[in-house]
């Protein structure tokens, strides 16, 4: 009997590779940058996300190994399909990673002029980060199955506004 690899292991390996890639990107870019203080570096956030992705993917691989060992001992309930590697689940992982890659390319390659809007005494600046993040979050949420238009509009706008204000105005961290 051919032994199947549990889908959690494959997903964990894919996310671990993405996390390690993000870690290496952050470290290499930081070394090349003009800013040598991590607290003010725009590469600190990708470093934290890459470290978290790598750690959580190791946990995901461990879960897959545990479930793979227990698969022979526990019979799945009738009417369910055991979680082995299926094309649709792995395809979904690749699609999500592809969307993340497109988002990164948009941040790196698109140049939108800064637009500053003043509301009372508060100044808010729109740039490539805001536009690309709003589009990315809306597309990713639609990909994940969110269908309510109000949520598809308000969550990306609110999240991007919060991140931009928190990082630019309060923490004084450069955003792409």
């Amino acid at each position: 009997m051919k032994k199947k690899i549990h889908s959690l292991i494959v997903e964990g390996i894919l996310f671990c590779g993405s996390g390690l890639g993000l870690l290496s990107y952050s470290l290499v870019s930081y070394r090349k940058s003009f800013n040598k203080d991590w607290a003010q570096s725009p590469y600190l956030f990708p470093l934290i996300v890459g470290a978290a992705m790598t750690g959580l993917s190791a946990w995901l691989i461990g879960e897959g190994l545990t479930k793979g060992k227990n698969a022979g001992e526990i019979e799945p309930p009738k009417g369910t399909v055991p979680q082995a590697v299926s094309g649709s689940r792995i395809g979904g992982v690749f699609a999500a990673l592809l969307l993340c890659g497109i988002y990164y390319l948009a941040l790196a390659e698109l140049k939108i002029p800064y637009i500053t809007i003043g509301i009372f005494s508060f100044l808010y600046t729109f740039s490539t980060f805001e536009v690309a993040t709003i589009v990315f979050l809306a597309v990713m949420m639609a990909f994940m199955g969110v269908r309510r238009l109000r949520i598809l509009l308000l969550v990306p706008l609110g999240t991007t506004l919060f991140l931009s204000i928190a990082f630019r105005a309060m923490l004084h961290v450069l955003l792409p």
Side-chain angles (χ1 to χ4, degrees):
M1 183 171 137
K2 191 173 181 182
K3 193 161 183 151
K4 293 185 179 182
I5 299 174
H6 199 278
S7 64
L8 289 177
I9 296 171
V10 176
E11 291 171 10
I13 291 170
L14 288 172
F15 284 117
C16 186
S18 299
L20 291 174
L22 194 56
L23 273 172
S24 64
Y25 158 76
S26 181
L27 292 172
V28 167
S29 297
Y30 172 74
R31 192 168 20 126
K32 291 179 183 177
S33 73
F34 65 91
N35 188 356
K36 294 300 179 191
D37 182 22
W38 270 113
Q40 295 293 315
S41 175
Y43 302 110
L44 178 61
F45 186 68
L47 180 79
I48 294 170
V49 171
M53 273 182 77
T54 304
L56 291 173
S57 65
W59 174 77
L60 196 61
I61 292 169
E63 285 289 313
L65 290 172
T66 303
K67 288 187 179 186
K69 288 179 185 175
N70 295 339
E73 302 168 8
I74 301 171
E75 195 67 30
K78 291 191 184 245
T80 62
V81 178
Q83 283 191 344
V85 176
S86 66
S88 63
R89 286 195 63 180
I90 300 302
V93 171
F94 278 123
L97 291 174
L98 179 68
L99 286 173
C100 291
I102 292 170
Y103 173 63
Y104 168 73
L105 288 175
L107 287 176
E109 299 299 325
L110 291 179
K111 301 297 179 216
I112 296 174
Y114 284 86
I115 300 170
T116 303
I117 298 173
I119 301 172
F120 300 115
S121 64
F122 181 74
L123 294 175
Y124 184 74
T125 303
F126 285 97
S127 67
T128 305
F129 172 77
E130 284 78 10
V131 174
T133 302
I134 289 170
V135 171
F136 169 71
L137 288 175
V139 170
M140 187 62 87
M141 287 174 63
F143 174 72
M144 299 300 271
V146 176
R147 297 291 178 245
R148 295 182 61 195
L149 185 61
R150 186 172 60 164
I151 291 181
L152 281 174
L153 292 175
L154 293 179
V155 170
L157 283 171
T159 303
T160 304
L161 183 66
F162 170 76
L163 288 173
S164 182
I165 290 172
F167 280 94
R168 281 200 181 128
M170 296 178 181
L171 298 174
H172 303 290
V173 174
L174 299 173
L175 292 174

